[in-house]
Each structure stands twice: as C-alpha cells, then as structure tokens.
Amino acid sequence: MGRHREFDVGEALDAALCVFWRKGYEGTSYTDLTEAAGIDRPAFYSAFGNKESLFRKALDRYYERYMDYIPDALELPTARAVAAHLLYSAVDLNTRYPDHTGCLALHGALAGSDDAEPVRQALIDARAVGEAQLRERFERAKAEGDLPQRSRPEVLAAFVMAVLHGMAVQAKAGFSRAKLEAVAEQALSAWPANDSPIARSPP
Amino acid sequence: MGRHREFDVGEALDAALCVFWRKGYEGTSYTDLTEAAGIDRPAFYSAFGNKESLFRKALDRYYERYMDYIPDALELPTARAVAAHLLYSAVDLNTRYPDHTGCLALHGALAGSDDAEPVRQALIDARAVGEAQLRERFERAKAEGDLPQRSRPEVLAAFVMAVLHGMAVQAKAGFSRAKLEAVAEQALSAWPANDSPIARSPP
DNA sequence: GTGATTTAGTAACGATGATTATCGAAACGT
DNA sequence: ACGTTTCGATAATCATCGTTACTAAATCAC
C-alpha cells in the first residue's frame, strides 16, 4: 500500500554513478545529482539514504555492470591471458565513455577531506579485493607450472594493478585508446615466460 | 617602507603544500591551512592570493623541492638507467613521509567539481611536461643506439609514467616501500634490451 | 468511496566553504 | 618623532554544502 515511485530507481542510480565517475565523491554535489537524474533531492534520500550510502550503492553497481570482465579474465587458462584480458578490457572501459573516462574505483576518492575518509577506504578495500583475486590466480598459475618458479605472484598482481591504475589516470587526462593499448602492450612485454633454454637471458 | 611580515612565507607555503599533498585541492579547506601553518586566513590571501593561486605556488614548490630527481635522472647515460632512477626515486618520495604519501601532482586533483577544473588541467599539463621530457630523452637514446630501432620512445615514456602513477595510487593506499620497489623492478624487467644474439627470444 | 500509507516537491535548516571589509598595531622612511 | 604604509586579527559576507520538516498528491486494502 502507498504511493508508487514515479522514477526508476535503477536509472537514478545509473545517473548518479556517471556523475560520481566524472567528478568523484566529494566533487559531486546534490545539485549535480538531481540535475543528472531529473529527480529532487529528497527522492535521493528516501531511495538511497545519505550521500555516502548512495555512493556505495553506485560503487556496487559499478563493479556489477562495468567490471564484469574481471571474473571472465580470472577464468582464462594462462596467467598471461588473464593479465592481457584485464589490461585491454580496462583500456576499453576507461575510454568507452568520453564524458566519464577513467575508473570510478580510482578517482572516486583518491584524496579528500576527513569527511571522505570512509569512502576513500572503501575504494582502497575494493581495489585490494581485486588484487587479492589476481594474486591467488597467479599463485595457482605458478603451482600449475604456467608461471616459472622464480616468479612472485604477489608482485605480478601488484604490477598489473599499478599499470591499471596508471592507465586510468592517463585516461582521465585524455589519453587516446590507442596510446593506452600501447602502454598495456608494453606492460605485457615483461611477462615472465616459462623456463626454456633460450627464451631468456641468464641472470 | 611598511611593516615586515611576521611569518616566513616559505614555511607557510611548505605547510600548505603538505596539506594539499594529503587531502588534495578540493579536500583542503582554509581551516586546514590555517591550522597547519599557524597563520590566519587573511594572511594567506595577502601573501598568495586565492586558493587556486596558492595551490599553483605549492605545485611549483613541489616540483622544485621534491621532484628534483627528474633532471638528475634525465642526465644518466642510458635510457634504462633513466627509467630506473625515476621509478626508484618516486618510490622513495611516495613513501618517505607517512602523513602524506603518494604524489601531489596526481591526487592533488584527479577528479572534482567544475570549480576545480583549472587546477585539474594544470596537473595534467605538469605531468605532460614530464612525459614529454622523458619521450625526448628516449628518442635521443634511440638515436644513439642505446634503445633498439624497433622500440617506440613515446610508448616507453607513457609506460613509465603509467607505472609512476600507479605506484603513487598504491602508496596512497598504504603500500609498503618494499612492495612498490618490487613493482618498479617488475616494470623494468620488460625494458627493451639492445639487439644482441642471445639477449632476447626471437619474435 | 474511505482511510492508511507512501511518495513528490517546496522550502527551510544548520554548518561550512572561500573570500573580504575593517580596524588596531607595528615598522619603515624622512 | 611622525606620518605613512603594511601587516595581523576579528568578524562579517555570500554562496553552497548535505540534510530534513512539512504539505500535497497518489496509491493500496477494505
């Protein structure tokens, strides 16, 4: 019983997500949100709670709808394929929408006031989850012989994440898709090959 | 003629720089600045102009005092030494001060409101200058035979910058110095070797 | 239909943002 | 020593921030 909602909650959340993606958590005002979603301030509060709660819901949706290439990547047969799929998918996502380039999980809240500390930490945690999944995948690859014994899965995971972060920063700075793909390719050129007589130079 | 300033302008600028370093441009309030510098609001305005002008002065000082390893790096004899020096110096800077980790040129303003757009662009420009210097250095290395003919200096420069950005993000997330050094090492492991019979596997 | 209940929308709230006007105090040149 | 000039500090200004009462409209159960 009671009145029905006139607006679509999913659409409103998508609109908020795009604004957060472009301006970050603290850079986004409720005026921005209402203009983008076409609904009034109190409607946001009744539907999503306060601003922090809204951002967290937007972040969840972001991972569901846009970072869906992560589980796909982790299932690929080789560690190198996993890394390549992640890097090129990220380039695509970072440059797909001209009005909100880069990655929400990064510049949603990199630095900010003390009030934004909870969401900054939430983004750190979210990224840490992705890195842990990647590390575990690489540990499996090492156990399977896909990665050489001298390789360090946690370092490879951190390295791939660093390149992903760096490309997101560059995408936000306006870098072209082609340039970012070249960066990804360069990152992959260092990928540890499995032990073979002439594949690598002696240490 | 007239009264002398009671506070040291350089110290006040350093204090402001550290706050910007930690909280970013928009995340920093004048209350933060006055508390850090120990001087009142109007003193900041009379000495540095408005907030944007203050941030630009802080950014200039940042490059002078903290990014002084860039010119040193560019003068090293080989492209690989240049990249290595940049990466490891950045790791050191990004983790040297526990209360303001990472890099001001990055999270000073990655995303933000429309008001912050000028400073965001200023940081993009500043980073582009560094990348251009690096690209020119690598072009010289290629001309000198230090880099193989098949290498692409602009890609190598963008790649090194991407890793630098990514490590800054990770430093701000609390990554240890050792972990970042491992990331830098992994990035360097891909460095194009000069053509020699056994140094690299055939394409 | 009628009443209960939930939403939409207007408007206001207190707090804080950046930015100055103002005035007394201090330090210079002459 | 004195007038001028600059600085330091209190406080006020205007805008905007996130958040919420409050009222009118709309939907359900009965």
Side-chain angles (χ1 to χ4, degrees):
Chain A
M1 39 192 163
R3 186 173 174 175
H4 288 324
R5 241 188 210 106
E6 289 186 358
F7 63 94
D8 184 49
V9 179
E11 286 182 9
L13 187 54
D14 282 334
L17 165 56
C18 290
V19 181
F20 281 133
W21 198 337
R22 182 153 53 95
K23 299 190 171 187
Y25 174 67
E26 281 195 311
T28 299
S29 72
Y30 263 95
T31 304
D32 297 326
L33 294 170
T34 55
E35 287 178 357
I39 63 176
D40 301 280
R41 269 175 277 244
F44 268 108
Y45 282 93
S46 68
F48 306 107
N50 67 359
K51 193 184 178 185
E52 178 178 337
S53 171
L54 170 59
F55 183 83
R56 289 179 184 275
K57 288 180 172 62
L59 183 64
D60 289 342
R61 193 172 185 87
Y62 179 73
Y63 270 89
E64 287 174 16
R65 286 176 58 110
Y66 298 100
M67 303 283 255
D68 54 344
Y69 58 83
I70 295 181
D72 295 343
L74 293 174
E75 291 178 1
L76 291 175
T78 68
R80 186 197 167 88
V82 171
H85 192 259
L86 283 178
L87 288 166
Y88 287 108
S89 298
V91 169
D92 177 62
L93 181 59
N94 287 341
T95 60
R96 193 186 306 161
Y97 311 101
D99 53 335
H100 47 274
T101 53
C103 174
L104 174 66
L106 239 186
H107 44 254
L110 223 187
S113 74
D114 295 340
D115 290 347
E117 184 60 23
V119 304
R120 199 178 74 86
Q121 193 62 46
L123 292 188
I124 291 176
D125 294 342
R127 299 196 301 258
V129 167
E131 181 172 336
Q133 290 174 332
L134 199 53
R135 174 177 47 77
E136 289 171 11
R137 178 63 185 85
F138 290 161
E139 284 171 352
R140 197 189 94 193
K142 184 174 176 177
E144 292 172 346
D146 173 36
L147 280 174
Q149 285 305 308
R150 84 188 100 82
S151 65
R152 290 187 293 170
E154 79 278 8
V155 171
L156 288 174
F159 170 71
V160 170
M161 295 297 290
V163 176
L164 289 172
H165 299 342
M167 293 194 307
V169 171
Q170 292 174 325
K172 189 106 184 88
F175 279 38
S176 72
R177 182 192 182 98
K179 189 159 187 178
L180 293 180
E181 285 175 340
V183 170
E185 182 187 351
Q186 175 63 32
L188 283 172
S189 75
W191 204 253
N194 214 350
D195 301 288
S196 74
I198 62 166
R200 291 191 77 76
S201 60
Chain B
M1 40 190 163
R3 184 176 174 175
H4 286 323
R5 242 189 209 106
E6 288 187 358
F7 65 92
D8 184 51
V9 180
E11 286 182 9
L13 187 54
D14 282 334
L17 164 57
C18 289
V19 182
F20 281 133
W21 199 335
R22 181 153 53 94
K23 298 190 173 186
Y25 174 67
E26 281 196 310
T28 300
S29 72
Y30 264 95
T31 304
D32 297 327
L33 294 170
T34 54
E35 286 179 356
I39 63 176
D40 301 282
R41 270 176 276 247
F44 267 108
Y45 282 93
S46 68
F48 305 108
N50 66 0
K51 193 184 177 186
E52 178 179 337
S53 172
L54 170 59
F55 183 83
R56 289 178 186 274
K57 288 180 172 62
L59 183 63
D60 289 341
R61 193 173 185 86
Y62 179 73
Y63 270 89
E64 286 173 16
R65 286 176 59 110
Y66 296 101
M67 302 284 255
D68 55 344
Y69 58 81
I70 295 181
D72 296 343
L74 293 174
E75 290 177 2
L76 291 175
T78 69
R80 187 199 168 87
V82 170
H85 192 258
L86 283 178
L87 288 166
Y88 287 107
S89 297
V91 170
D92 177 62
L93 180 59
N94 286 341
T95 59
R96 192 186 307 159
Y97 311 101
D99 53 337
H100 47 275
T101 52
C103 174
L104 174 66
L106 240 184
H107 43 254
L110 224 187
S113 74
D114 295 339
D115 290 349
E117 184 59 23
V119 304
R120 199 178 74 88
Q121 193 62 44
L123 292 188
I124 290 175
D125 295 342
R127 298 197 300 259
V129 167
E131 181 172 338
Q133 290 174 331
L134 199 53
R135 175 178 46 79
E136 289 171 11
R137 178 64 186 82
F138 289 163
E139 284 171 353
R140 198 189 94 195
K142 184 174 177 178
E144 290 172 347
D146 173 35
L147 281 173
Q149 286 304 310
R150 83 188 101 81
S151 65
R152 290 187 291 170
E154 80 279 7
V155 171
L156 288 174
F159 169 72
V160 171
M161 295 296 291
V163 176
L164 289 172
H165 298 341
M167 292 193 307
V169 171
Q170 291 175 325
K172 189 103 184 91
F175 279 39
S176 72
R177 181 193 182 97
K179 189 160 188 178
L180 293 180
E181 285 175 341
V183 170
E185 182 186 350
Q186 175 63 32
L188 284 172
S189 74
W191 203 254
N194 214 349
D195 302 288
S196 73
I198 62 166
R200 290 190 79 75
S201 62

